[in-house]
Amino acid sequence: MKRTAILLLGLGLGLSAALPAWASASEVIVYSARKEELIRPALDAFQKATGIKVTLLSAKAGDLARRIEMEKSDPKGDVFLGTTAGIAELLRRKGLLAPYFSAAAQEVPEEFRAPDGGWVALTGRVRVLIYNRTLAAERDLPRSYFDLTDPKWKGKVAVASMGERTTVSWLAALMALRGEEATRRYVKGLRDNGLKVLNNNTEVRKAVTRGEYAIGITNHYYYLLQLQEDPHGPVGILYPDQGPDGIGTPVFSITAGIIKGAKHPDAARGLVDFLLGAQGNRLLVQGEFEIPLIAGIPVPGEDKGVKGLGQFKKARVTQVQLADLEPRVEKLFGPFLIP
Ligand SMILES: [Fe+2]
């Protein structure tokens, strides 16, 4: 790794001035909403490459945000990692994130960055449909999210509750593209058609594979997590709304922001650089089964039908647009989309 090389060179020649600023930082505290086991390999690699100890606090994004706000006058965390951009954007608007323009962030498409550098997306998750191959033949599959209100799918569709941020972002995407009224009608149509709301996306992937539901509305990496657990299970993946009139399939992101007033700002910036760099980003993408947002990183599951950015029709919404609509989505649909 380049930075390790610089570090070693610096030490070897006694050129302490050549050391990156974060080389002196000994710790970085990460507040992460991501599943710990999926993000660990990348954080461990950072620790190994830099000698900076990574302390990880994992919790739900909303809980971490409340904590960051409470600790405002004496921040305990350094980096916030969210499972969509929504919570990061809320924190940014409250002035709780410190802008940072990582050179590596230039590689990330603009729609996946806060314009003021408050947060940056690290990897992408695509809102797909998964299906049970024994219950639904390929030719009968829905082509659009909007097909799921058809009586043909009555009682056969499952989604995770809004306890999963990506359920909120998904409805925000529909609202951005089709408007509030159409989204309300759609959600009502789904409920009238017997939509099953499960606790989380893990339950969705398992229930679909067991054959309790034909279709699951979920994120692409749950398809890969399911195949990892059960390589011969009858689960398939499909990208909805791909036709000429389709709205496209939304992409969300794991998002990193540096907490304002962080005690270890140099280490925090070093970690963001690392997670956007080739080695760190590859580990992150592989560990989480996400898709890369920067060029040159392989797409996990490409051999199993997973598509990278540019290989499918992506919904035309920015992460900021989604974040704008999420509070409205929570208010409108929170009371209904409960398990
Ligand atoms: Fe998830």
Side-chain angles (χ1 to χ4, degrees), residues 5-311:
I6 293 169
L7 185 64
L8 293 176
L9 190 74
L11 289 173
L13 301 176
L15 298 173
S16 58
L19 293 181
W22 46 259
S24 59
S26 60
E27 188 183 19
V28 62
I29 299 167
V30 179
Y31 283 7
S32 165
R34 197 68 186 106
K35 283 189 187 71
E36 188 161 343
E37 68 273 21
L38 305 186
I39 204 153
R40 257 292 167 206
L43 298 180
D44 286 348
F46 173 75
Q47 184 165 312
K48 202 168 164 216
T50 62
I52 296 170
K53 183 173 171 264
V54 179
T55 302
L56 183 61
L57 176 78
S58 300
K60 288 265 175 202
D63 293 336
L64 291 170
R66 275 185 285 280
R67 187 170 178 136
I68 290 167
E69 195 163 6
M70 270 164 45
E71 294 172 351
K72 191 169 149 183
S73 57
D74 181 25
K76 303 278 190 281
D78 297 307
V79 176
F80 170 70
L81 296 181
T83 49
T84 65
I87 299 284
E89 177 63 9
L90 286 178
L91 289 172
R92 187 191 72 78
R93 288 179 191 184
K94 288 183 174 173
L96 296 168
L97 297 178
Y100 174 52
F101 290 97
S102 171
Q106 301 305 314
E107 305 272 317
V108 177
E110 208 174 335
E111 62 175 292
F112 291 103
R113 289 183 262 147
D116 77 340
W119 49 260
V120 61
L122 302 174
T123 59
R125 51 254 311 268
V126 188
R127 190 65 173 178
V128 297
L129 299 179
I130 57 168
Y131 63 96
N132 183 300
R133 286 192 275 106
T134 44
L135 294 181
E138 193 141 6
R139 64 178 182 285
D140 296 329
L141 290 173
R143 299 284 167 233
S144 162
Y145 295 122
F146 298 97
D147 291 343
L148 299 175
T149 55
D150 190 290
K152 179 175 162 186
W153 301 111
K154 195 165 181 79
K156 294 181 177 170
V157 182
V159 70
S161 76
M162 301 222 299
E164 292 274 15
R165 292 306 306 174
T166 46
T167 298
V168 183
S169 296
W170 169 59
L171 291 170
L174 300 186
M175 216 186 261
L177 296 162
R178 286 286 168 94
E180 183 171 312
E181 268 320 297
T183 306
R184 287 170 88 140
R185 270 199 308 278
Y186 173 60
V187 171
K188 183 175 185 305
L190 285 175
R191 292 176 66 218
D192 290 348
N193 211 24
L195 174 73
K196 179 67 181 176
V197 180
L198 296 171
N199 279 309
N200 54 46
N201 285 308
T202 303
E203 285 186 14
V204 171
R205 70 166 165 90
K206 289 185 174 175
V208 169
T209 309
R210 281 195 304 261
E212 289 162 33
Y213 306 96
I215 309 275
I217 308 168
T218 188
N219 309 327
H220 81 278
Y221 56 88
Y222 285 96
Y223 163 73
L224 291 175
L225 288 168
Q226 184 62 40
L227 284 181
Q228 185 183 49
E229 196 175 293
D230 176 13
H232 304 293
V235 68
I237 185 169
L238 88 99
Y239 290 71
D241 293 279
Q242 295 292 292
D245 300 329
I247 57 170
T249 308
V251 179
F252 314 131
S253 57
I254 296 287
T255 302
I258 296 174
I259 297 165
K260 195 168 178 181
K263 303 281 194 312
H264 312 98
D266 293 333
R269 288 190 282 266
L271 178 60
V272 172
D273 292 346
F274 180 81
L275 295 176
L276 287 167
Q279 186 201 359
N281 205 260
R282 183 184 289 251
L283 285 168
L284 205 54
V285 161
Q286 283 170 355
E288 301 184 316
F289 291 141
E290 297 233 337
I291 60 166
L293 300 175
I294 50 188
I297 311 251
V299 178
E302 214 167 7
D303 56 329
K304 297 179 179 72
V306 172
K307 299 172 188 193
L309 218 54
Q311 295 171 339

